[in-house]
Amino acid sequence: MECKECRQPLRVERRCRRIRLQCPACKKEYQIHEVAAELDAAMEKELERYSCIIYD
């Protein structure tokens, strides 16, 4: 999945009880619910690794 700002691949950032998608290039962060409808298969597979995702 790409960053909406700079089109670079997003990476999953796990923090204390939270998961965020972050662009390593421009540092833009996305909460999962902000981009849930746009998740591609690869990102969904990556997120399956986490047993619990907190939406905040």
Side-chain angles (χ1 to χ4, degrees), residues 10-14 19-22 43 46-47 50:
L10 295 175
R11 68 177 179 211
V12 176
E13 290 290 324
R14 183 174 182 207
I19 301 288
R20 294 282 192 266
L21 300 180
Q22 185 180 48
M43 186 60 74
E46 176 72 20
L47 291 172
Y50 301 95

Side-chain angles (χ1 to χ4, degrees), residues 13-30:
E13 290 290 324
R14 183 174 182 207
R15 300 200 181 110
C16 184
R17 299 173 48 185
R18 283 192 273 193
I19 301 288
R20 294 282 192 266
L21 300 180
Q22 185 180 48
C23 177
C26 72
K27 305 301 183 197
K28 172 90 173 144
E29 281 192 357
Y30 300 93

Side-chain angles (χ1 to χ4, degrees), residues 3 11 13 16 20 33-34 39 45 48 51-52 55:
C3 176
R11 68 177 179 211
E13 290 290 324
C16 184
R20 294 282 192 266
H33 71 272
E34 293 176 313
L39 293 175
K45 186 167 180 71
E48 285 177 1
S51 61
C52 180
Y55 296 95

